[in-house]
Amino acid sequence: MAPPTVVPVTTSSPGLLIDSATAVAGQMQSAIDLAAPGSQVGIEVVDTSTGAELASLDPDQQFYTASVVKLLIALDAMERHDPASPQADPEVTQQVRDMLTASDDGIADELWVADGGVDIVTRMAQQIGLPGTVPPDDPGQWGETRTTPRDVVAIYRYIDSTAPEAERQVIMDALEHVNEISADGTDQFFGIPAALPGVAWAVKPGWMALNSSTTLNSTGLIAARPGEPLRYIVVVLTSQPADIGWNAGGAALTSGVSVLRTVLGLDR
């Protein structure tokens, strides 16, 4: 199936930028809905070097984080454990690395319980400034934390530019080396990695099945050209009908993110 036609984004006019960002997000949503009909979609794509929005759809709508909340769990663990300190516990650093690269739920459970559960979300939301991010109603279900596309952008901005250097290095290195197959056997390379082959990335996907819906999220930082820094934050959060399978749901996100190939000039 041919990708949808995309109106290139330009920053020459603020009005045109807003229109283009809305149009691009609409085309991303259409591509997702074609593969996974009935999906709710939230999108935010930002150029960190200029602050320009390249795509935006319902950026303040709440979605379940699923494993994307592991970014907050990792940050909180690192805040409590300075990896640059002479007294640093290498086990905590390794736990954070493994939790992020393999999306290991067992490690997430351990750190969640050890560091205060819902308090982790509350602390990090206050520290980073995440008005749309709230802890799960069930304290034992960290994946049911809710967040917004705009808040996830803020989390990546914090990791990339505000977190202490040693902490940033641990987390970014893990996100840049995410395993294709997660600890629970899920293919993590839907969305950004599958849609943008050859592009450097640092990603945290998320997935979770509930009785009423399936959560599939693709989030991360990307570079548009080889050798360039990770410049763009891409956040696509979805709530899909429960009867849509994992493969179809993941393929839907891949189709949506593929729209960015034209926006970023990757097909030229």
Side-chain angles (χ1 to χ4, degrees):
M1 179 174 61
T5 302
V6 177
V7 179
V9 170
T10 173
T11 59
S12 60
S13 163
L16 181 57
L17 174 63
I18 293 171
D19 291 344
S20 296
T22 302
V24 170
Q27 291 165 42
M28 294 173 71
Q29 179 191 32
S30 294
I32 292 170
D33 195 61
L34 186 64
S39 296
Q40 292 183 311
V41 184
I43 297 169
E44 190 78 348
V45 181
V46 175
D47 182 343
T48 62
S49 67
T50 65
E53 282 186 337
L54 305 188
S56 185
L57 174 71
D58 289 337
D60 297 313
Q61 176 67 41
Q62 285 185 327
F63 293 82
Y64 286 126
T65 58
S67 286
V68 175
V69 76
K70 289 171 184 170
L71 295 174
L72 298 184
I73 297 173
L75 284 166
D76 192 77
M78 291 284 91
E79 293 285 331
R80 298 174 180 289
H81 155 80
D82 179 2
S85 167
Q87 290 79 39
D89 182 353
E91 182 179 353
V92 175
T93 299
Q94 193 60 49
Q95 281 184 305
V96 168
R97 289 183 188 276
D98 291 345
M99 177 181 66
L100 295 176
T101 57
S103 200
D104 192 303
D105 291 347
I107 295 174
D109 289 341
E110 291 179 28
L111 293 175
W112 181 258
V113 171
D115 292 339
V118 296
D119 291 341
I120 294 171
V121 176
T122 301
R123 280 194 299 266
M124 295 313 303
Q126 291 176 344
Q127 180 167 325
I128 299 172
L130 308 174
T133 300
V134 296
D137 294 333
D138 180 343
Q141 298 297 322
W142 43 258
E144 294 179 22
T145 296
R146 283 162 288 165
T147 193
T148 67
R150 199 185 304 276
D151 278 7
V152 178
V153 167
I155 293 169
Y156 279 105
R157 284 187 184 278
Y158 180 86
I159 293 170
D160 190 46
S161 62
T162 305
E165 180 62 26
E167 179 179 325
R168 181 182 312 126
Q169 288 181 354
V170 170
I171 293 175
M172 287 299 295
D173 182 68
L175 299 181
E176 290 171 10
H177 295 90
V178 164
N179 301 338
E180 182 172 1
I181 305 301
S182 72
D184 71 2
T186 299
D187 184 344
Q188 299 194 81
F189 279 15
F190 61 87
I192 293 168
L196 306 175
V199 169
W201 46 253
V203 297
K204 185 68 203 80
W207 58 93
M208 179 177 69
L210 299 174
N211 291 333
S212 58
S213 65
T214 296
T215 294
L216 281 163
N217 301 326
S218 184
T219 75
L221 284 151
I222 66 170
R225 299 285 184 278
E228 289 187 355
L230 299 175
R231 170 178 172 178
Y232 302 97
I233 300 173
V234 178
V235 178
V236 183
L237 309 181
T238 71
S239 176
Q240 302 184 14
D243 60 352
I244 293 177
W246 291 110
N247 290 339
L253 267 75
T254 299
S255 294
V257 177
S258 292
V259 171
L260 295 175
R261 295 190 59 81
T262 302
V263 176
L264 300 177
L266 300 175
D267 291 329
R268 290 202 294 266

